[in-house]
Amino acid sequence: QKEVEQDPGPLSVPEGAIVSLNCTYSNSAFQYFMWYRQYSRKGPELLMYTYSSGNKEDGRFTAQVDKSSKYISLFIRDSQPSDSATYLCAMSGNNRLAFGKGNQVVVIP
Amino acid sequence: DAGVIQSPRHEVTEMGQEVTLRCKPISGHNSLFWYRQTMMRGLELLIYFNNNVPIDDSGMPEDRFSAKMPNASFSTLKIQPSEPRDSAVYFCASSWTGGETNEKLFFGSGTQLSVL
């Protein structure tokens, strides 16, 4: 089993829809959970950062962590064409940082 | 702050040639990472420096790859000799590590390497 699993399948949604992305992981030492956003021909940029289980909101973005299930999610409400990007989950703990492969999201106007 | 600066942005070279990628981390950051990104394998960590010292180079593919960090404001990743399978986007990232784990990485815009 890979340390971090993220289904890389592209996702196309109409503008205004809710985007739902998720990752699973196998390493129980992971304590910090991040989502990075990567625009085309750019480097990843940190979008959300959480530590504990539960939800964290930042504007239209909600990050959800369920440590018992080793499952994290990112929700984007009222999606905009400017949200079109690749979203990578990342997690760290015990001096280990691992990234998912990324989900390409396209928001269609 | 200018962020992490990488050069060149694009590099096209022929198989067998030496390639040198450069990185200037964010001032004040004490950790520097080199990653390689491909569609097939995603983002792979090549090497990680802390306070200019290589801590983990287990991701370096083979002896053709080498990385240096002579000071806190500069790092290079060298491939010699280059091969077509090295074609990828290479990212440099930096962070401040005050505790035991790095989480908040700041990435450069990457170098798109094509080896013909």
Side-chain angles (χ1 to χ4, degrees), chain B residues 4-91:
Chain B
V4 176
I5 299 172
Q6 289 187 247
S7 64
R9 286 283 277 130
H10 303 277
E11 177 80 33
V12 180
T13 190
E14 292 187 346
M15 183 173 65
Q17 296 298 305
E18 178 180 295
V19 174
T20 299
L21 310 181
R22 297 173 176 79
C23 175
K24 177 178 168 56
I26 291 173
S27 177
H29 282 184
N30 60 355
S31 293
L32 183 139
F33 306 77
W34 282 101
Y35 281 90
R36 177 171 67 179
Q37 187 176 43
T38 60
M39 289 289 289
M40 286 293 293
R41 302 171 72 96
L43 209 54
E44 300 175 279
L45 177 66
L46 300 177
I47 188 168
Y48 152 50
F49 292 87
N50 183 250
N51 293 321
N52 312 338
V53 175
I55 302 300
D56 181 2
D57 65 354
S58 59
M60 295 287 262
E62 47 201 88
D63 291 346
R64 297 185 297 106
F65 285 69
S66 63
K68 293 182 179 180
M69 191 164 187
N71 57 63
S73 59
F74 184 67
S75 177
T76 59
L77 177 68
K78 187 176 293 187
I79 308 172
Q80 165 65 21
S82 58
E83 296 182 2
R85 61 191 168 122
D86 301 330
S87 298
V89 182
Y90 290 80
F91 287 105

Side-chain angles (χ1 to χ4, degrees), chain A residues 32-57:
Chain A
Y32 302 90
F33 304 92
M34 288 76 67
W35 287 93
Y36 283 80
R37 177 175 61 194
Q38 184 176 18
Y39 289 116
S40 180
R41 296 186 179 86
K42 298 286 189 183
E45 58 176 339
L46 183 63
L47 183 64
M48 298 286 284
Y49 170 87
T50 58
Y51 171 68
S52 57
S53 282
N55 293 355
K56 179 177 180 179
E57 277 193 31

